[in-house]
Amino acid sequence: MKLQHLLVILGITLTSTACTNWIYRIDVPQGNFLDERDVKKLRVGMTKEQVKYVLGNPVVKDSFDDDTWYYVYDMKRGMRKRGEDFQKQMTINFVDNKVDTVEGDFELSEEFNVPLDN
């Protein structure tokens, strides 16, 4: 009798593990999704308000340095067949409340070093 119970439990365990791809798992995006078109709108000399208008609020503002903003986007895929997990980030440094440098995983436009006319 115990052997039959053990075989039934073993059979249920093996068949349920074979069905793990049937379970739907959602993708979990976190942070600021930045579109390439919006990043290409950045220019040297833009004010903090202009950057917020173009990109939105940063995920993190440095507590000790108000002139450094971090934009981070993290995607955790629920299922491998929808792609790999990835993270994109961008750091914007300001001098005198104006954009000085931008670093990160995004390609800037060719006109980045041309300031906007105020």
Side-chain angles (χ1 to χ4, degrees):
M1 189 71 168
K2 290 184 181 183
L3 182 60
Q4 287 178 340
H5 289 294
L6 182 62
L7 289 175
V8 169
I9 291 172
L10 183 63
I12 291 173
T13 304
L14 290 175
T15 56
S16 65
T17 57
C19 300
T20 57
N21 286 336
W22 294 356
I23 299 171
Y24 180 77
R25 293 182 197 96
I26 63 169
D27 294 340
V28 181
Q30 293 181 322
N32 295 78
F33 176 76
L34 298 178
D35 191 52
E36 290 284 341
R37 291 176 292 175
D38 294 335
V39 173
K40 294 214 183 266
K41 293 178 186 176
L42 288 177
R43 302 283 188 270
V44 167
M46 288 178 83
T47 64
K48 290 181 179 181
E49 291 79 23
Q50 289 171 324
V51 173
K52 275 187 189 178
Y53 181 78
V54 171
L55 300 179
N57 288 319
V59 172
V60 179
K61 288 183 184 178
D62 193 335
S63 301
F64 301 104
D65 182 12
D66 191 40
D67 291 331
T68 303
W69 288 3
Y70 299 95
Y71 290 86
V72 180
Y73 182 71
D74 191 28
M75 173 62 83
K76 299 282 186 200
R77 298 289 184 181
M79 301 178 80
R80 287 262 177 222
K81 65 182 177 182
R82 288 198 298 259
E84 295 292 321
D85 297 347
F86 68 91
Q87 183 182 66
K88 288 193 166 207
Q89 42 191 323
M90 183 170 63
T91 305
I92 301 177
N93 294 305
F94 296 91
V95 173
D96 296 329
N97 288 329
K98 297 195 184 245
V99 173
D100 184 46
T101 60
V102 176
E103 300 170 352
D105 299 327
F106 294 93
E107 188 173 321
L108 300 173
S109 71
E110 295 176 4
E111 294 88 25
F112 175 74
N113 290 317
V114 179
L116 293 173
D117 294 333
N118 289 329

